[in-house]
Amino acid sequence: MAQKPTIPKGTRDFSQAETARRNHIFDTCREVFRLYGYAPIETPAMENLSTLMGKYGEEGDKLLFRVMNSGEQAANPPEKGLRYDLTVPFARYVVQHQSEIAFPFKRFQIQPVWRADRPQKGRYREFFQCDVDVIGSKSLVNELELIQIVEQVFGRLGVAVTLKLNNRKILAGIAETIGHPQRLVDITVAIDKLDKIGIEAVKAELAEKGISEEAIGKLEPILALEGNRREKLDLLAEILAGSEVGMVGIGEMRQVLDYVEALGVKLDVELDLSLARGLNYYTGTIFEVKAKDWEIGSICGGGRYDDLTGIFGMPGVSGVGISFGADRIYDVMDGLGLFTAEVVAGTKVLLLNFGGDPRSLVTEELTALRLASELRAAGVAAEVYPDASKMKKQMEWANKREIPWVVIIGEEELVSGKATLKNMKSGEQQQVEFGRLVEILK
Amino acid sequence: MAQKPTIPKGTRDFSQAETARRNHIFDTCREVFRLYGYAPIETPAMENLSTLMGKYGEEGDKLLFRVMNSGEQAANPPEKGLRYDLTVPFARYVVQHQSEIAFPFKRFQIQPVWRADRPQKGRYREFFQCDVDVIGSKSLVNELELIQIVEQVFGRLGVAVTLKLNNRKILAGIAETIGHPQRLVDITVAIDKLDKIGIEAVKAELAEKGISEEAIGKLEPILALEGNRREKLDLLAEILAGSEVGMVGIGEMRQVLDYVEALGVKLDVELDLSLARGLNYYTGTIFEVKAKDWEIGSICGGGRYDDLTGIFGMPGVSGVGISFGADRIYDVMDGLGLFTAEVVAGTKVLLLNFGGDPRSLVTEELTALRLASELRAAGVAAEVYPDASKMKKQMEWANKREIPWVVIIGEEELVSGKATLKNMKSGEQQQVEFGRLVEILK
């Protein structure tokens, strides 16, 4: 085999540095989720096709990776597919395990998903989702806590963000108020594009879809509402006064903002009436997070749903959740240089290997191995170069791997009982008694 | 849909408690691997079938899960399969990325693998592997460090284990010495079963395979060698004196034991000449770990290989690695009751919710939410019950989820500025000033 092996289109290998940076994002999410009482579950990569089919629209069905049956069943149509997101498996899990679950059920899930999308820049066929949901509670305290979680996660990651808020009931109220209560989906799909294509193009699209000129005329000033979130909301309350569902939405939004203000959330929380999110299962609050200092789509989003588990025969359970887009967060942090050296830091010290007869009790190598054991016992990641190679080669290896400290124990050091400790960044060297290495490197 | 949804045969959902216990095993492995300078990589779930086929024998090819092509390509034979282990993807990774890698390359990898095996007790179609390998170094220091890693991982997990050691070259030396140098595989396959079926059955199997009676007669006393590891090794050195490869194996084993003794490894390390491990790519040291207090197969194993990457066109690179069997380790720990309550511990304190008008600044609910934020800022996992439900319901929820502390802030507490703090295990209650909660619960 002369040709180098490859991996399937749209999939990725992650090097040690990339894995460390990705884990930094996942670990930060995990820590924050835990502080708020969310705990992880895991579901299998393969789900029955009957679980997945019809849940993501016609287009989604086409993008499912189907897994062939094994053995004699191989000729039959496939029965299994790779999970497409974490939401449907979560709904399936809740229904399947409902008798073991204490509701409200607060779970997070960080696992890969697979989509047979056409691969392109920033779009992969395998990527991780990082979902946090609570199901079985209608309380808006949950919305508040998810907002606090967003604040904490991005605060810890050092990414400046804006959280955009809207409410599906407000969108329904708008549709009602402009005289097209049945056209909520078409209207939200169009206004969702406001940011990208501008108001004139949105109006054209609405007209094309048969929304009356009069209705469009009523919609335009709503989308153009100015002021801070409270001012916008007050103006909107006047406009939607005649819509029952709209006023419920206004009430929910006010309460969420009350919580946000009472708890001193410092996150930039905006009301964005053009925020719709394509997913039709949202029924209340909708969230979306954008990075302030880097041009990219939303890096986190979610909302409240009232009937996620209905598709599996368990209707009327309300929940709310958000999903962190790890790949995009990675790109933002990478682009802004927010991954510190500490994130990738692995081994702290390399002890060079100058060999010796292993049956002797005091060779250079054995001394290095013993000191490495002591360092590890104190929690310091330490390595001994495995071979007694030339010093230059060992130093190069330390440099390539960006190990910050090197310990040299040659013949002289063995006699004096003092190691040479070299700072690889400054190049400075000092003589340190073997017994003091732990204390210095810890 | 009246029927409860299910998941594919041989796959599993992991509940929050199960996930916590599994993560305890993985996190322990990760921490120890890192202390020894190993860092993680990740590879995609799907590999090209050309990468996987022919690497696991005919039987293995049949057990590969094949993934159908998407879209118009669906009618063509599948080109992708789910990864079957982490070893072949690792070899593929090393060859593909050889120019970016600093050898010796120390990596670990903890990811799921998939096999279309017939599901049965303890055998799943999706399970995690936890591999740690160093490639690009022939030094036996690596063997020592893997033994230290085994000692550390199981020490931290609290599992008493025996590490069994053998060397493929010693097995080759035995085959040579008994006059069947070409029959190494048949001989090792048979003696690998010694533990399970006993010496008479092994002898019968060898005879059936055409191994001469004389050879079997020579083999028997070798397998029956008694004494400690050093005594066995000395006796074996006499027997294998005429075999060059055998004596190289003896030399390697002696050096590994020299290291183990010089470094004060406390792990129970045994020489086991019947240890062969089925995998033909091992060429030197072979490891296997058994739990002392629980009947189950090996819970960790591995060895040295001299040509793992040869299959992908990069010959002659020696490496050594071990794999921790997370599912079996889980079963051992579960069986022996080694998972402490701390491992599963999630939320430390639940603040009950007695509602109030959210626009007021001093309601019971808002006070609970504020105190929860303070607790979290101090690193304490804290929750507020999201709804102002009946106290009984909230207490039951805390109990079901085994939350150890509950904070009650009702009308009285709000007036006095002192919360009622209840220890859910002992039932004891005390009055604590709001400002002192953090200090007590931290």
Side-chain angles (χ1 to χ4, degrees):
Chain A
M1 195 185 298
Q3 230 176 341
K4 261 201 197 174
T6 59
I7 49 177
K9 254 188 306 183
T11 69
R12 292 168 290 175
D13 282 327
F14 296 109
S15 71
Q16 295 184 327
E18 287 162 341
T19 303
R21 290 189 207 108
R22 286 166 58 86
N23 284 343
H24 174 60
I25 295 171
F26 294 134
D27 289 345
T28 302
C29 288
R30 266 185 212 112
E31 271 170 42
V32 173
F33 298 166
R34 288 211 169 99
L35 281 178
Y36 284 81
Y38 291 82
I41 64 162
E42 293 193 356
T43 63
M46 292 187 276
E47 292 274 354
N48 292 323
L49 271 181
S50 58
T51 299
L52 302 174
M53 294 285 284
K55 309 305 189 298
Y56 307 104
E58 240 176 84
E59 196 50 37
D61 282 353
K62 281 188 207 151
L63 299 182
L64 292 174
F65 274 114
R66 289 158 171 79
V67 179
M68 290 175 73
N69 300 322
S70 52
E72 287 150 26
Q73 302 295 313
N76 297 344
E79 293 162 357
K80 296 181 290 292
L82 296 180
R83 98 186 129 226
Y84 181 88
D85 71 0
L86 301 178
T87 306
V88 168
F90 174 53
R92 193 265 311 146
Y93 180 97
V94 167
V95 176
Q96 190 174 336
H97 301 279
Q98 54 187 283
S99 62
E100 310 145 31
I101 290 173
F103 293 95
F105 181 49
K106 298 166 84 170
R107 85 87 174 79
F108 71 86
Q109 198 169 348
I110 302 178
Q111 291 193 281
V113 302
W114 295 269
R115 296 181 185 180
D117 253 320
R118 187 189 302 266
Q120 50 177 268
K121 194 179 174 313
R123 194 197 282 167
Y124 304 101
R125 293 185 147 190
E126 173 179 61
F127 58 96
F128 268 69
Q129 289 193 336
C130 180
D131 282 19
V132 55
D133 290 82
V134 50
I135 193 163
S137 165
K138 290 183 177 157
S139 165
L140 296 170
V141 165
N142 300 300
E143 268 84 340
L144 164 70
E145 292 199 344
L146 291 176
I147 293 170
Q148 290 182 305
I149 284 174
V150 167
E151 180 181 37
Q152 284 291 316
V153 167
F154 290 107
R156 288 173 187 223
L157 291 176
V159 180
V161 298
T162 301
L163 177 87
K164 296 179 172 195
L165 272 186
N166 199 2
N167 189 302
R168 196 81 179 184
K169 296 189 183 88
I170 291 180
L171 290 171
I174 293 173
E176 222 174 82
T177 303
I178 66 172
H180 286 287
Q182 308 304 324
R183 306 297 301 278
L184 175 60
V185 173
D186 282 337
I187 294 169
T188 56
V189 165
I191 67 178
D192 203 16
K193 300 178 188 162
L194 187 61
D195 257 9
K196 276 188 201 150
I197 61 178
I199 186 69
E200 291 310 317
V202 168
K203 282 162 68 179
E205 180 170 330
L206 287 167
E208 206 174 293
K209 282 185 177 160
I211 306 295
S212 70
E213 213 173 304
E214 195 197 337
I216 297 174
K218 283 185 186 165
L219 180 62
E220 199 172 350
I222 297 177
L223 295 180
L225 281 181
E226 295 212 347
N228 65 32
R229 60 199 188 199
R230 286 289 184 180
E231 289 162 359
K232 276 191 199 170
L233 206 52
D234 290 343
L235 290 168
L236 196 61
E238 288 170 31
I239 298 170
L240 302 188
S243 160
E244 199 178 325
V245 63
M247 290 312 288
V248 173
I250 297 275
E252 289 180 4
M253 180 70 83
R254 280 186 169 144
Q255 200 183 336
V256 170
L257 293 181
D258 286 342
Y259 279 135
V260 163
E261 287 156 21
L263 267 293
V265 171
K266 288 186 188 66
L267 187 68
D268 191 357
V269 177
E270 274 180 13
L271 179 65
D272 182 351
L273 296 174
S274 76
L275 176 63
R277 293 188 71 81
L279 298 162
N280 279 317
Y281 53 76
Y282 290 134
T283 50
T285 307
I286 316 171
F287 306 99
E288 200 165 277
V289 179
K290 303 257 302 184
K292 285 187 177 180
D293 307 319
W294 194 257
E295 199 59 54
I296 202 165
S298 75
I299 55 177
C300 175
R304 178 169 285 277
Y305 38 81
D306 282 338
D307 198 23
L308 192 66
T309 54
I311 43 173
F312 297 115
M314 188 181 169
V317 188
S318 188
V320 57
I322 50 173
S323 182
F324 288 79
D327 283 302
R328 284 188 177 174
I329 296 171
Y330 186 104
D331 289 347
V332 171
M333 293 185 64
D334 202 29
L336 294 172
L338 295 176
F339 289 116
T340 60
E342 262 174 32
V343 165
V344 185
T347 296
K348 190 159 186 186
V349 54
L350 174 70
L351 296 99
L352 302 195
N353 187 337
F354 295 98
D357 177 355
R359 258 157 301 186
S360 159
L361 292 174
V362 287
T363 61
E364 294 87 329
E365 181 183 70
L366 282 174
T367 307
L369 287 167
R370 284 197 194 102
L371 290 171
S373 289
E374 285 175 24
L375 286 161
R376 291 170 192 140
V380 179
E383 293 182 66
V384 177
Y385 195 86
D387 301 275
S389 306
K390 283 194 181 142
M391 182 158 162
K392 185 162 173 265
K393 189 176 171 188
Q394 300 189 39
M395 292 296 270
E396 277 171 4
W397 192 66
N399 261 327
K400 264 192 211 163
R401 300 181 58 225
E402 300 182 33
I403 298 175
W405 296 95
V406 160
V407 165
I408 299 164
I409 299 163
E411 225 173 305
E412 264 179 54
E413 285 85 355
L414 202 59
V415 173
S416 70
K418 286 183 181 167
T420 302
L421 176 64
K422 180 170 182 172
N423 180 320
M424 293 297 278
K425 212 170 172 188
S426 68
E428 275 171 55
Q429 295 198 3
Q430 52 177 313
Q431 305 299 313
V432 175
E433 280 169 40
F434 295 161
R436 287 195 53 230
L437 275 174
V438 167
E439 154 196 347
I440 292 176
L441 290 168
K442 206 180 165 174
Chain B
M1 196 183 300
Q3 228 176 343
K4 259 202 199 174
T6 59
I7 49 177
K9 252 189 308 183
T11 69
R12 292 169 288 175
D13 281 328
F14 296 108
S15 71
Q16 294 183 327
E18 287 162 341
T19 304
R21 289 188 208 109
R22 287 165 57 84
N23 283 344
H24 173 62
I25 295 171
F26 294 134
D27 290 344
T28 302
C29 288
R30 265 183 213 112
E31 271 169 41
V32 174
F33 297 166
R34 288 212 169 99
L35 281 178
Y36 284 81
Y38 290 82
I41 64 164
E42 293 193 356
T43 64
M46 292 187 276
E47 292 274 354
N48 292 322
L49 272 181
S50 58
T51 298
L52 301 174
M53 294 284 285
K55 309 305 190 299
Y56 307 104
E58 241 175 84
E59 196 51 37
D61 283 352
K62 282 188 206 149
L63 299 182
L64 292 173
F65 273 114
R66 288 157 173 78
V67 179
M68 290 175 73
N69 300 322
S70 52
E72 289 149 25
Q73 301 295 313
N76 297 343
E79 291 162 359
K80 296 180 288 291
L82 296 180
R83 96 186 130 228
Y84 180 88
D85 71 0
L86 301 179
T87 306
V88 167
F90 173 53
R92 193 265 310 146
Y93 180 96
V94 168
V95 176
Q96 191 174 334
H97 301 278
Q98 53 187 284
S99 62
E100 309 145 31
I101 290 173
F103 293 96
F105 180 51
K106 297 166 84 170
R107 86 86 175 80
F108 71 85
Q109 197 169 350
I110 301 178
Q111 291 192 281
V113 302
W114 295 269
R115 296 182 184 179
D117 253 321
R118 187 189 303 265
Q120 50 176 269
K121 193 179 175 311
R123 194 198 282 169
Y124 304 100
R125 292 184 149 190
E126 173 179 59
F127 58 97
F128 268 68
Q129 288 193 337
C130 180
D131 282 19
V132 55
D133 289 82
V134 49
I135 193 164
S137 165
K138 290 182 177 161
S139 164
L140 295 169
V141 165
N142 299 300
E143 268 84 340
L144 164 71
E145 292 197 346
L146 291 175
I147 292 170
Q148 290 182 305
I149 284 173
V150 167
E151 180 182 37
Q152 285 290 316
V153 167
F154 290 107
R156 288 172 186 222
L157 292 175
V159 180
V161 299
T162 302
L163 177 88
K164 296 180 173 194
L165 271 187
N166 200 2
N167 189 302
R168 197 81 180 184
K169 296 189 184 88
I170 291 179
L171 290 170
I174 292 173
E176 222 174 83
T177 303
I178 67 172
H180 286 286
Q182 308 304 323
R183 306 296 302 278
L184 175 60
V185 173
D186 283 336
I187 294 169
T188 55
V189 166
I191 66 178
D192 204 17
K193 300 178 188 162
L194 187 61
D195 257 9
K196 276 188 202 149
I197 62 177
I199 184 70
E200 291 310 318
V202 168
K203 282 162 69 180
E205 180 171 329
L206 287 168
E208 207 176 291
K209 281 185 176 160
I211 305 295
S212 69
E213 211 176 304
E214 196 197 334
I216 297 173
K218 282 184 186 166
L219 180 63
E220 198 173 349
I222 296 176
L223 296 179
L225 280 181
E226 293 210 349
N228 64 33
R229 61 198 186 197
R230 286 291 185 177
E231 290 162 357
K232 275 192 200 170
L233 206 53
D234 289 343
L235 291 168
L236 195 62
E238 286 171 30
I239 298 169
L240 302 187
S243 161
E244 198 179 324
V245 63
M247 289 312 289
V248 172
I250 297 273
E252 289 180 4
M253 180 68 83
R254 281 187 169 143
Q255 199 183 338
V256 170
L257 294 180
D258 285 343
Y259 279 135
V260 162
E261 288 157 19
L263 267 293
V265 171
K266 289 187 187 63
L267 187 69
D268 192 357
V269 177
E270 274 180 14
L271 179 65
D272 183 350
L273 296 174
S274 77
L275 175 64
R277 293 187 72 82
L279 298 161
N280 279 316
Y281 53 75
Y282 291 135
T283 50
T285 306
I286 315 171
F287 307 99
E288 200 164 277
V289 179
K290 303 257 301 184
K292 285 185 177 181
D293 307 319
W294 195 257
E295 199 60 52
I296 202 165
S298 75
I299 55 178
C300 175
R304 177 169 286 277
Y305 39 80
D306 282 338
D307 198 23
L308 192 66
T309 53
I311 43 173
F312 297 115
M314 189 181 167
V317 188
S318 188
V320 57
I322 51 175
S323 181
F324 288 79
D327 284 301
R328 284 189 176 172
I329 296 171
Y330 186 104
D331 289 346
V332 171
M333 292 185 65
D334 202 30
L336 294 172
L338 295 176
F339 289 115
T340 61
E342 264 175 30
V343 165
V344 185
T347 296
K348 190 159 185 186
V349 54
L350 174 70
L351 296 97
L352 301 196
N353 187 337
F354 294 98
D357 177 355
R359 259 157 300 186
S360 158
L361 291 173
V362 287
T363 61
E364 294 87 330
E365 181 184 69
L366 282 174
T367 306
L369 287 168
R370 284 196 195 103
L371 289 172
S373 289
E374 284 175 25
L375 286 160
R376 292 170 192 139
V380 179
E383 293 182 67
V384 177
Y385 195 86
D387 300 277
S389 307
K390 284 195 179 142
M391 181 157 162
K392 185 163 174 265
K393 189 176 171 189
Q394 299 189 40
M395 291 296 269
E396 277 171 3
W397 193 66
N399 261 328
K400 264 192 209 162
R401 301 181 56 226
E402 301 182 33
I403 297 176
W405 297 94
V406 160
V407 165
I408 299 163
I409 300 163
E411 225 173 306
E412 263 180 55
E413 285 87 354
L414 203 57
V415 172
S416 70
K418 285 183 183 169
T420 302
L421 177 65
K422 179 168 182 173
N423 180 321
M424 294 296 279
K425 212 170 170 185
S426 68
E428 276 172 54
Q429 295 197 5
Q430 51 178 313
Q431 304 299 313
V432 176
E433 281 169 39
F434 294 162
R436 286 194 55 230
L437 275 174
V438 167
E439 153 197 348
I440 291 176
L441 290 168
K442 207 179 163 174

